Amino acid sequence: MPERHRIRRLPVRGDPHPPRRRHTARHTRNTRHRIVRCTAITAFAEVCPLQEWPKVNTSCILCTDDRVISPDWSRQVSRERLGAPAIELAGSHSPMLSRPADLVEALCQLTADTITTQQEATA
């Protein structure tokens, strides 16, 4: 990954969660940088080709211990912009690394709910 795209978190004195131990267990901590890539810059560097958002079911999964994106903010945005309550998982910002089984369960439930809704609409 080019140096300009790397995001580094500097340690803060007295931080109870040092940067290397914040999100994952030891066995995944060493591999997380290989599987998580910096994509946040895309939203600021490219123009979205859509004229309006598609009419699809939308959901929000938030982590209750997230220190990057406020869970309170995520709950509010989910209600106001998406019109749906947020699905809450315990854990920090990267559930795909720290709680993959819980994330998979939440995604499977969303998929099942979507399929059920579509079947009811066509029946």
Side-chain angles (χ1 to χ4, degrees):
M1 177 184 308
E3 185 64 33
R4 69 179 185 274
H5 293 299
R6 288 195 181 162
I7 297 174
R8 296 179 188 236
R9 182 180 169 276
L10 299 175
V12 177
R13 178 173 291 210
D15 187 349
H17 305 284
R20 292 191 174 274
R21 294 187 179 93
R22 177 181 303 269
H23 299 298
T24 62
R26 177 178 286 196
H27 67 279
T28 59
R29 185 174 64 229
N30 297 328
T31 61
R32 70 180 171 181
H33 293 293
R34 285 188 281 147
I35 60 175
V36 176
R37 56 194 176 101
C38 179
T39 56
I41 195 69
T42 304
F44 301 104
E46 296 179 9
V47 175
C48 179
L50 299 175
Q51 297 300 314
E52 64 181 42
W53 293 114
K55 308 250 186 291
V56 296
N57 292 338
T58 343
S59 300
C60 172
I61 297 177
L62 68 88
C63 293
T64 56
D65 300 322
D66 196 332
R67 291 175 46 177
V68 177
I69 301 173
S70 164
D72 291 335
W73 181 85
S74 294
R75 285 182 199 99
Q76 179 181 351
V77 167
S78 181
R79 272 190 322 271
E80 293 176 1
R81 296 184 190 175
L82 303 179
I87 297 164
E88 298 191 20
L89 297 179
S92 58
H93 187 69
S94 302
M96 65 280 199
L97 298 175
S98 63
R99 303 180 77 84
D102 293 342
L103 181 59
V104 167
E105 185 178 329
L107 292 171
C108 287
Q109 185 60 51
L110 279 172
T111 303
D113 292 348
T114 300
I115 291 170
T116 302
T117 303
Q118 289 174 347
Q119 289 173 343
E120 289 171 356
T122 58

